[in-house]
Amino acid sequence: MVTVGTVVKSMAGKDQGRYCVVVRLEGQRVYVADGKWRKLSNPKAKNPKHLQATCHKVALTPQLTNKQLKKALTMLQK
């Protein structure tokens, strides 16, 4: 089960293998952003079946920028 702020890995689609953060949950869709290809202002809708949750979380505050999000995800991938 994914919640807002959870770092997930995309397992299908054009963004396969990329790490993203869950920004919003709406019905059967999960909206994710990574700060580089998908900005916080325009998250990508994904089917939750195509995501693999990790044990990491990111605090989604109103002050969080795309640059900070991208940096956090890059640090987690290493």
Side-chain angles (χ1 to χ4, degrees):
M1 179 93 184
V2 294
T3 58
V4 174
T6 303
V7 176
V8 294
K9 183 178 181 181
S10 176
M11 302 305 286
K14 292 181 180 180
D15 57 353
Q16 183 176 3
R18 290 194 194 131
Y19 287 90
C20 307
V21 175
V22 175
V23 177
R24 185 170 78 226
L25 302 170
E26 280 186 15
Q28 298 297 320
R29 302 306 255 170
V30 175
Y31 290 83
V32 296
D34 64 2
K36 182 176 182 179
W37 302 104
R38 280 296 176 164
K39 307 292 184 192
L40 289 167
S41 60
N42 187 27
K44 179 173 179 55
K46 297 282 286 182
N47 187 329
K49 294 190 295 187
H50 300 155
L51 299 173
Q52 180 182 18
T54 66
C55 60
H56 301 288
K57 292 215 177 234
V58 173
L60 294 177
T61 62
Q63 296 83 17
L64 183 69
T65 64
N66 289 309
K67 186 175 182 178
Q68 292 170 333
L69 178 59
K70 184 170 73 170
K71 186 176 181 179
L73 290 174
T74 303
M75 292 174 61
L76 288 175
Q77 289 179 350
K78 292 182 180 181

